[in-house]
Amino acid sequence: MSDFTIRLKSIKNIQKITKSMKMVAAAKYARAEKQLKPARVYGTGALALYEKADIKAPEDKVAKHLIVGVTSDRGLCGAIHSGVAKTIKNEIANLTGSGKEVMVINVGDKLRGLLHRTHGKHILLNCKEVGRKPPNFSDASVIATELLTSGYEFDQGSVIFNRFRSVISYKTDQKPLFSNDTVSSSENMGVYDDIDADVLRNYQEFALVNVIYLALKESSTSEQSARMTAMDSASKNASEMIDKLTLTFNRTRQAVITKELIEIISGAAAL
Amino acid sequence: MLAARLFRRALPVLRQARSYADAASGAPQMSFTFASPTQVFFREASVKQVDVPTLTGVFGILPAHVPTLQVLRPGVVTVFNDDGSSAKYFATLAAESLSLSEDRRQSLNILVSSGSVTVNADSSVQLLAEEAVPLDQLDVTAARANLEKAQSELVGTADEAVRAEVQISIEANEAIVKALE
C-alpha cells in the first residue's frame, strides 16, 4: 500500500510541474507570436530580391554547400529538434552522394547533440545559449558574422528551421542562401542598375542576417507552441494515471479491510 | 435571278465588332514595403515617392524606377503618400549591433550600412532598416546632448574600436539634429 502512496505523490508532483511548464510556454508563445508578425514581413522582404530575380545556383558548378540548422538548447518540446536533424541528415546524404562538400552550422545545443556523433566532421560552428531569451536582431548578426569570418566559402546554402503554421502545427522548412558569385553572375541581375561589388557584398551580408533572423523567430515560436502542446498532453496523461492509481489504491485498501473483518468474524465465530 | 440569290447567300453580312481602343494601362503602382526587424511601417502599400539615404547619396524612388539594389546609411527616409501627405522616418543601426567588435565589422563593412533597399523590375520596393523611428518620436534636445557627449568622447579616447563606435553615434546624432531642425 505504501508504494501506491509514494507513486501517487510523485505523479501528482510531475503533473504540477508539467502544468506550470505549459503555462510558462503559453506566455512565451504569445509573446513570440506577436513578435513574429513584423519579423515575417521583414524576412520575406529580404528574400524578395532572390525570388523576383529568380536567382538559382547553377547546378553543376555548385561544389560547396552550407547548411544552417536552427533549433535551441532545451528539450521537452516534441519533435522540434529531431525534425530539423532528420532533414539535415537527409540533405547531407544527398549532397555527399553527388560528390559535393557540405558543412553545417548548429544553432542550438540540441542539434549539436543529435548530429555530432554521426556527422561530426561536417560541423563547422556550434551556437549555444539559444532559446532562453527571445532571439533578436543582434543574435542573428553575431551568427552571420561568425559564419562570414569562418573562412568557409560556400557556393550555395540553406537555412533549415521550423516554420510556424499555427498553435498546433509547424513544419520544417528551408530558405536558400546564395553566394556573392551566384548572385552577380545570375542572368536577371543585369536588369538591376548601378551595382558594384562593394554594394552587392554589403547587401548580401545584410540579407544573410535577415534570413537568419527570420529563421530564429519562426523557430522560437514553433518551439514554444510545441512545448505547450507537449506539456499539455503530459499533464493529461499524468491525470489519467492518477485516476487509475487512485482507483486501484482504493480497491486494495477495501480488500485489506474486508480480509481483516472476515478474520475477526470467523475468529469470533470459532469461539 | 438564281445567280443573284446564290450570290446573296454566298456573301454573309459581315458584322465587325467595334469597340473603343483599350485605355492606356495605368502607371505601374509601387508596392512599398518598409520594415525593421521589430516593426512594420508599410506593407505592400501604394505610395507616390520614397526618398532614401544610401551610401552613394539620396535616392528618390518613384514607380517604374529602374531596378537597383542599394545599401542604406543612417539618415532620414521620406515617404510621399498618394494623397500628397508625407511621413519621415529616421533609419539607423540598431544599438545592439554597435557591440560587435570594430575590426570584425570593418572587415565586413556592416559598420556603415544600416539597411538595404531593393527596387525590382515589377516596381516593388523593399526598404529594410535595422532600426527606424518616426521622426516625431525623436527629441532634438536629447539628440544634441548625445552629440556633444559623443564629440567629447571622441576627443578623449584613443582606442580604435571605441573611436569608431563613437564616430557612428556622432554621425547618427548629427543626422538626427539636422533632420529635426
Side-chain angles (χ1 to χ4, degrees):
Chain A
M1 277 243 299
S2 58
D3 41 331
F4 268 121
T5 33
I6 294 173
R7 252 192 107 183
L8 261 177
K9 211 156 63 137
S10 88
I11 295 181
K12 279 194 179 141
N13 282 338
I14 289 180
Q15 195 203 22
K16 280 197 200 123
I17 293 174
T18 50
K19 233 190 203 169
S20 66
M21 280 188 78
K22 173 188 157 193
M23 295 209 286
V24 167
K28 289 193 175 169
Y29 158 74
R31 188 165 50 153
E33 211 221 336
K34 221 164 44 120
Q35 290 177 346
L36 182 62
K37 285 206 189 77
R40 261 195 183 156
V41 176
Y42 187 75
T44 41
L47 290 166
L49 166 71
Y50 305 110
E51 282 160 25
K52 302 215 177 191
D54 208 13
I55 297 183
K56 276 191 276 280
E59 271 305 314
D60 46 347
K61 215 173 59 105
V62 175
K64 287 180 146 187
H65 261 261
L66 176 76
I67 298 180
V68 181
V70 181
T71 58
S72 84
D73 283 354
R74 293 149 128 204
L76 294 179
C77 45
I80 293 275
H81 309 298
S82 50
V84 172
K86 200 161 68 130
T87 315
I88 293 184
K89 284 183 185 169
N90 283 341
E91 278 292 312
I92 294 181
N94 285 343
L95 290 168
T96 43
S98 50
K100 311 215 169 100
E101 188 188 331
V102 184
M103 291 302 265
V104 179
I105 294 189
N106 294 327
V107 178
D109 224 18
K110 280 286 177 187
L111 193 60
R112 187 190 67 89
L114 286 168
L115 287 183
H116 92 285
R117 201 154 299 175
T118 48
H119 296 80
K121 58 182 165 65
H122 290 287
I123 294 182
L124 182 63
L125 282 178
N126 288 311
C127 304
K128 284 169 69 160
E129 297 294 320
V130 178
R132 197 189 298 254
K133 287 190 300 212
N136 54 25
F137 195 75
S138 59
D139 295 336
S141 53
V142 167
I143 297 175
T145 320
E146 287 301 326
L147 162 58
L148 291 166
T149 52
S150 70
Y152 182 65
E153 300 282 337
F154 63 96
D155 297 313
Q156 210 211 345
S158 50
V159 184
I160 300 183
F161 58 101
N162 288 302
R163 185 171 53 92
F164 173 73
R165 285 203 303 197
S166 81
V167 187
I168 50 170
S169 93
Y170 59 87
K171 195 161 182 290
T172 313
D173 200 6
Q174 281 197 31
K175 288 277 185 237
L177 299 171
F178 299 101
S179 69
N180 288 349
D181 290 331
T182 314
V183 173
S184 52
S185 59
S186 160
E187 35 185 86
N188 284 337
M189 282 309 287
V191 177
Y192 289 82
D193 171 58
D194 187 29
I195 299 180
D196 55 15
D198 250 349
V199 168
L200 185 63
R201 197 165 54 92
N202 274 323
Y203 185 89
Q204 281 276 93
E205 282 161 8
F206 192 65
L208 177 66
V209 182
N210 294 339
V211 176
I212 295 181
Y213 175 73
L214 175 70
L216 283 172
K217 279 293 191 202
E218 296 258 6
S219 172
S220 107
T221 313
S222 314
E223 182 198 333
Q224 297 300 343
S225 76
R227 186 167 291 129
M228 205 167 74
T229 355
M231 291 296 101
D232 186 38
S233 33
S235 318
K236 281 207 188 87
N237 290 342
S239 334
E240 248 178 71
M241 281 180 81
I242 289 173
D243 289 341
K244 279 206 202 113
L245 266 178
T246 314
L247 280 175
T248 12
F249 174 66
N250 283 335
R251 248 182 286 138
T252 330
R253 185 176 55 87
Q254 286 158 358
V256 168
I257 292 174
T258 312
K259 202 172 77 152
E260 283 182 16
L261 273 174
I262 290 176
E263 281 174 12
I264 293 172
I265 291 173
S266 53
L271 282 177
Chain B
M1 226 3 226
L2 192 62
R5 267 218 304 262
L6 279 171
F7 187 68
R8 248 207 322 214
R9 270 198 211 142
L11 264 185
V13 176
L14 286 168
R15 272 188 209 278
Q16 264 181 331
R18 306 193 81 202
S19 62
Y20 291 100
D22 282 330
S25 56
Q29 290 297 309
M30 170 160 67
S31 154
F32 179 54
T33 305
F34 175 24
S36 76
T38 46
Q39 209 182 344
V40 175
F41 299 100
F42 288 88
R43 183 192 176 154
E44 292 178 9
S46 161
V47 297
K48 228 170 31 146
Q49 183 184 344
V50 187
D51 288 340
V52 174
T54 71
L55 287 184
T56 48
V58 180
F59 259 76
I61 302 179
L62 287 109
H65 192 280
V66 65
T68 181
L69 306 174
Q70 287 297 335
V71 161
L72 298 185
R73 67 191 296 262
V76 177
V77 171
T78 315
V79 181
F80 296 92
N81 294 317
D82 278 341
D83 57 4
S85 64
S86 70
K88 293 191 183 213
Y89 302 87
F90 189 74
T92 179
L93 294 160
E96 301 127 347
S97 74
L98 286 175
S99 64
L100 284 175
S101 85
E102 161 54 20
D103 45 338
R104 277 274 163 78
R105 270 181 304 151
Q106 264 300 342
S107 63
L108 301 174
N109 230 328
I110 297 184
L111 184 96
V112 198
S113 86
S114 62
S116 69
V117 61
T118 314
V119 184
N120 295 305
D122 62 356
S123 215
S124 63
V125 180
Q126 286 90 27
L127 178 61
L128 305 170
E130 248 184 76
E131 189 155 311
V133 290
L135 217 51
D136 47 18
Q137 286 180 13
L138 289 175
D139 179 20
V140 75
T141 40
R144 279 217 194 90
N146 283 339
L147 179 61
E148 283 167 18
K149 196 169 70 124
Q151 278 167 338
S152 60
E153 255 178 59
L154 185 67
V155 176
T157 175
D159 180 11
E160 271 306 311
V162 180
R163 277 182 80 89
E165 268 179 43
V166 172
Q167 204 65 310
I168 315 168
S169 84
I170 288 183
E171 260 188 46
N173 281 315
E174 274 176 353
I176 297 180
V177 170
K178 204 166 66 131
L180 288 173
E181 276 163 6

